[in-house]
Amino acid sequence: MRLFLVDDHPVVRAGLVALLSGEHDIDVVGEAPGGEEALRAITVRTPDVVLMDLQLGDGIDGVEATRRIRELPSPPQVLVLTTYESDADIMRAVDAGATGYLLKACPPEELFQGIRAAARGETVLSAKVATRMMRRMRDPGTALSAREVEILELLASGAGNREIARRLFITEATVKTHLVHVYSKLGVDTRTAAVTAAVERRLIRLP
Amino acid sequence: MRLFLVDDHPVVRAGLVALLSGEHDIDVVGEAPGGEEALRAITVRTPDVVLMDLQLGDGIDGVEATRRIRELPSPPQVLVLTTYESDADIMRAVDAGATGYLLKACPPEELFQGIRAAARGETVLSAKVATRMMRRMRDPGTALSAREVEILELLASGAGNREIARRLFITEATVKTHLVHVYSKLGVDTRTAAVTAAVERRLIRLP
DNA sequence: CAGCGGATCAACCGATCGGTTGATCCCGGG
DNA sequence: CCCGGGATCAACCGATCGGTTGATCCGCTG
């Protein structure tokens, strides 16, 4: 099974290579520190699975890299391996076409099995990630939509309604409508309280 | 030279061991995923240098672990190796007794040299970290007063000016004056942006 | 197909916020 | 003793926000 690594930290790439050297059915056929380099290399190394970090320093981020990889002809599976478990990160990664979402805190054996499962095209999620997704499914009444989470992230950056509208290519009226829903679902009535509630519930993550 | 690793991610520990195996003057004499385990192990492994991550999952964080290690009799040097370069993290780590502060994004060779320098008791800083510290020294006018931090904490709870005034037994006018100063010092112009800036700088902590 | 929920937009209005100017009080250092 | 800085308060005003009502469009599901 051919595996390609994408992570901006040399230490992590070296660690993955070292850990995977004991798994003889998994061959690391290449690695890259950023999304652009990965896209170029993947077309010639033809991996079965790409192990992708979401935070990639400068250049495109892991979500955008995942999206472009999945748009290639006969693309490899993309398995996200990252530190954070916010709804915003998970939803975006899945939307971009990721086959799975594992946390770096997971034990190595779970990582190995995840890579093999991803190669078979199976969806693989860390226990904590799966729990979060399940809770979202069970009570969709209180779960925020993807759009509402986008609003929250811009809210957390300190943007006003006009700025949010501009960045999402919608009108202020729509932003306000979303905000009313967000406030209602989080049980708050100010933008600041919404941000702190969202951070505490791990809906979003402060950079 | 005897080195001890503290990092909650098995992948990172394996990576460091793999990278350092090529440096024959550096012996990894132990490793731990958390601060408590590290403290117990260090007393018997007697390393010269401890390589410390700041984010350690559950339990005490890297700063607190560093402080306790430096309180041991004839303690090892502690070299911080972490992902972030926020002013607050740097200041807190240095205050806790860290010998140096390196970023995980740095090239491995810089890491090797840093470990050797730390073993000699020299202070070692990543270039970006050194730049931030210099700017911090030159511009101390951004320190918030105790009262302003109190205001920020109530701000983060989502309280309006009236509520803040009531809880601090002052008038709304005074709250507004404090807010103007807080905005100015943090370089923002909305309450929400002030909260996120304050959280990132660790001036306040979300519950 | 009918209906539901999500996303979009509009208009209105009172409440709150952000910015400005100016003032008093008190403490501690030069 | 005077000065600076922090904390306190006041009044004003334009901008923004929060709440409400109502509407259209689209995709999914029973």
Side-chain angles (χ1 to χ4, degrees), chain B residues 96-125:
Chain B
T99 307
Y101 196 106
L102 293 180
L103 299 176
K104 283 186 180 175
C106 80
E109 188 53 40
E110 186 177 340
L111 173 61
F112 304 151
Q113 295 301 338
I115 293 171
R116 295 188 184 101
R120 296 190 298 267
E122 300 170 13
T123 293
V124 40
L125 299 174

Side-chain angles (χ1 to χ4, degrees), chain B residues 46-66:
Chain B
T46 64
D48 301 301
V49 177
V50 176
L51 203 58
M52 173 73 68
D53 191 12
L54 290 188
Q55 287 77 37
L56 293 179
D58 304 326
I60 66 177
D61 70 358
V63 171
E64 182 59 26
T66 298

Side-chain angles (χ1 to χ4, degrees), chain B residues 130-141:
Chain B
T131 302
R132 294 185 74 89
M133 289 196 70
M134 283 303 139
R135 194 169 40 202
R136 181 55 99 170
M137 306 294 275
R138 274 203 309 272
D139 178 22

Side-chain angles (χ1 to χ4, degrees), chain A residues 21-43:
Chain A
S21 66
E23 309 297 308
H24 298 296
D25 58 328
I26 301 177
D27 289 333
V28 177
V29 298
E31 54 182 84
E36 289 88 347
E37 300 92 323
L39 274 163
R40 281 195 295 273
I42 283 173
T43 56

